[in-house]
Amino acid sequence: AAGVIQSPRHLIKEKRETATLKCYPIPRHDTVYWYQQGPGQDPQFLISFYEKMQSDKGSIPDRFSAQQFSDYHSELNMSSLELGDSALYFCASSSTGGGTDTQYFGPGTRLTVL
Amino acid sequence: SQQGEEDPQALSIQEGENATMNCSYKTSINNLQWYRQNSGRGLVHLILIRSNEREKHSGRLRVTLDTSKKSSSLLITASRAADTASYFCATDVNYGQNFVFGPGTRLSVLP
């Protein structure tokens, strides 16, 4: 069965650079979530989209923005990167409209800011 | 403060023993999910229990939910070395649009 795809899997950036992470949800899933997980930390919810509209917002810095496109893939844009942005970034998708609620996570993108 | 808090934060047991992990939360929820994460890897969904359910089973996993105490437990029976991982609970706080994770329990199963 198709899973959530994230790209790239690894990304190394310098401070103050920008990064774009991509997420391709499971087909027919209508909700996408982004999470940030620092070393040894629990995943922190950043933002979610339902049917291409932002549906909830968590602890996402103003330097970050995200959107969901017409094909349901989502991108997380991160600007003015800081050392503290180094983390695993997970995308998850679910079929909220279908009532299943279960989130399926992608493998994550490991971002290292030097 | 965090919505979900796992207890214990670390647990070490012998193969074949049962492992019980607890999760407490603060606000009302629609459902609670348990996830497993091997070190530095993705999160794998284990089981979802809805707020109107009290107990759910899946293979060697048993999850209970007590909404009056705002707590849940995950029991892994007959543990195996391969069960070594971190286990997180996540609560749905906005009808499937926002989930809050607890800090996780690091389970070590010794052969």
Side-chain angles (χ1 to χ4, degrees), chain A residues 59-77:
Chain A
S59 51
I60 183 169
D62 292 340
R63 299 177 289 108
F64 294 7
S65 65
Q67 56 182 323
Q68 187 177 28
F69 295 86
S70 58
D71 64 352
Y72 289 89
H73 95 272
S74 178
E75 294 184 3
L76 177 66
N77 299 294

Side-chain angles (χ1 to χ4, degrees), chain A residues 39-105:
Chain A
Q41 305 292 313
D42 53 290
Q44 294 290 322
F45 171 75
L46 294 178
I47 195 166
S48 61
F49 293 88
Y50 171 67
E51 284 292 344
K52 293 161 280 187
M53 299 287 290
Q54 181 182 309
S55 52
D56 206 341
K57 201 170 181 180
S59 51
I60 183 169
D62 292 340
R63 299 177 289 108
F64 294 7
S65 65
Q67 56 182 323
Q68 187 177 28
F69 295 86
S70 58
D71 64 352
Y72 289 89
H73 95 272
S74 178
E75 294 184 3
L76 177 66
N77 299 294
M78 310 158 71
S79 62
S80 302
L81 287 169
E82 301 172 357
L83 296 177
D85 296 330
S86 294
L88 264 171
Y89 290 84
F90 289 105
C91 170
S93 72
S94 71
S95 178
T96 306
T100 61
D101 297 345
T102 299
Q103 294 180 83
Y104 295 89
F105 281 78

Side-chain angles (χ1 to χ4, degrees), chain A residues 31 33 35 37 41-45 48-50 55-57 88 90 96 99-103 105-107 110, chain B residues 2 31 33 35 37 40-45 48 50 88 90 92-104:
Chain A
T31 306
Y33 313 81
Y35 292 87
Q37 187 178 29
Q41 305 292 313
D42 53 290
Q44 294 290 322
F45 171 75
S48 61
F49 293 88
Y50 171 67
S55 52
D56 206 341
K57 201 170 181 180
L88 264 171
F90 289 105
T96 306
T100 61
D101 297 345
T102 299
Q103 294 180 83
F105 281 78
R110 185 176 292 281
Chain B
Q2 290 176 332
N31 64 61
Q33 304 182 44
Y35 289 85
Q37 184 181 36
R41 308 290 292 275
L43 288 139
V44 175
H45 181 262
L48 178 152
R50 300 195 183 281
F88 294 91
D92 173 2
V93 299
N94 186 17
Y95 301 98
Q97 303 308 312
N98 183 344
F99 290 81
V100 178
F101 282 79

